[in-house]
Amino acid sequence: MQGHAAEARATAPPPPNEAELIQQVKKGNQQAFAQLYQQHIKRVYALCLRLAADTTQAEDVSQEVFVQLWQKIHSFDGKAQFSTWLHRVTSNIAISHLRKQKNWLQRVVSSEEQGMEHEQVAQCQELNGLDKLIVRLPERARQVFVLHAVEGYRHEEIAKIMNMAVGSSKSQYHRARGLLKEWYEHE
């Protein structure tokens, strides 16, 4: 019995690498797209959750990312790693989605409003450690912190994405760091 399993593994073709999957997706192969989805959904969802601080919105944005990916995969030119490109697309879609929310402007203006309430964070099993604190940050501070500290964007890039001054981006980042430090010391 064990010999047959080893023989079957030896004759099965190796799984396609990411570059091959992308080429197949560009040709409209839905099974290749499903594999690409499985490889990247957790990281895309985690980024969306950090930016939105809301599981429902994170799910919606994650779904939108993959809809856009299917439609715009041809714009991926391979100059950067696919994961880097996908996470830039995810960030842009998440920020755009949050802007479209009818109460987005109210949340931005009210700088004291927190992300998830402490009780919501405790119930959210996907989060642990620093992520549980990040989602509690005020929205703009959280978004800047995630884009800069987690995703590696420069403040100039964040300012452009979020339509703010570079100084505002730096200020929101330092505000987020201060709050995280304070909360971490009290946890």
Side-chain angles (χ1 to χ4, degrees), residues 95-110:
I95 297 295
S96 176
H97 176 83
L98 293 171
R99 281 190 185 129
K100 290 177 187 174
Q101 300 303 306
K102 66 180 183 178
N103 62 350
W104 184 81
L105 185 58
Q106 292 171 338
R107 290 186 303 203
V108 170
V109 172
S110 175

Side-chain angles (χ1 to χ4, degrees), residues 44 48 56-66 90 93-94 97:
V44 166
C48 292
T56 302
Q57 282 190 22
E59 290 166 4
D60 290 347
V61 174
S62 296
Q63 184 177 22
E64 178 64 22
V65 166
F66 284 97
T90 302
I93 290 172
H97 176 83

Side-chain angles (χ1 to χ4, degrees), residues 1 8 30 58 68 70 81 86 99 106 115 117 120-121 136 159:
M1 192 75 161
Q30 293 179 357
Q68 291 290 323
W70 176 255
Q81 285 188 358
L86 178 60
R99 281 190 185 129
Q106 292 171 338
E117 294 298 322
Q120 289 174 300
V121 173
R136 290 177 49 200

